[in-house]
Amino acid sequence: MGCKPAATPIEINHKLGDSKEDDMAVDRNSFQRLVGRLIYLSHTRPDIAYAVGVVSQFMHNPKESHLRAVVQILQYLKGTPGKGIMFKRGEKLTLEAYTDADYAGSIVDRRSTSGYYTFFGGNLVTWRSKKHNVVARSSAEAEFRAMALGICELLWLKIILEDLKVKLDGPMKLYCDNKSAINIAHNPVQHDRTKHVEVDRHFIKEKLDSGLICTPYVTTGNQVADILTKGLPSKDFQKLVGKLRMEDIHAPA
């Protein structure tokens, strides 16, 4: 309760991985209970989803460095106790998703982390930060997996809305900040260097050809899914959190 608040839930370019020999072990049960509470909290706090996903990877053998990372999440929450998602009435009933991937970000096994945010009528409804099950052979492969996950989420939301008799305005939008991945998705020509992403490429191309999905380019500075794939500087982090329509009820009017 007396800690100094932190500006972000996780450090930039953090090196959390298998601990060094001089890294002392901490009580596993208390570490697991604490991280378990943070996992529960992340269901309503998308701004800590990536940080919680990182520390939860070390619940089997936590060390001092992992505990310090958890403490930083608590310090961030100390400074933002009233922050939450604000839902507002939108002018258009549109479905949008922002997808991103951090290529080979894990120093333990060099697996990538992908994330997506989905918005309905401008309001944040679902999000996910997930470490890949296998190592990506290129940044394009990592981005394609993120795009495929985002499209699957959009299709699932579309089915729910159809059951509720809600008609969408225009095609669903999948925002990506990787022009190479967007170009490959639209290009029907096979290339040797893209064979390893062939399944995801055909899946995405099928949805593009049907007009169900469009893939506008978004600049890295406006890519809100960056929060779900890496640690960011305080200024960039706060800017992107604001784009999620997260507001602090304790902030002065």
Side-chain angles (χ1 to χ4, degrees), residues 91-117:
E91 296 180 357
K92 294 184 178 180
L93 298 179
T94 57
L95 265 180
E96 301 172 318
Y98 290 79
T99 65
D100 194 25
D102 181 24
Y103 175 56
S106 174
I107 65 172
V108 178
D109 50 19
R110 286 305 175 188
R111 295 182 185 180
S112 304
T113 299
S114 62
Y116 62 77
Y117 286 113

Side-chain angles (χ1 to χ4, degrees), residues 64-83:
E64 284 283 353
S65 58
H66 307 142
L67 183 59
R68 287 195 296 270
V70 174
V71 169
Q72 182 168 342
I73 300 175
L74 298 178
Q75 290 176 310
Y76 171 73
L77 294 173
K78 172 69 181 300
T80 57
K83 189 175 285 293

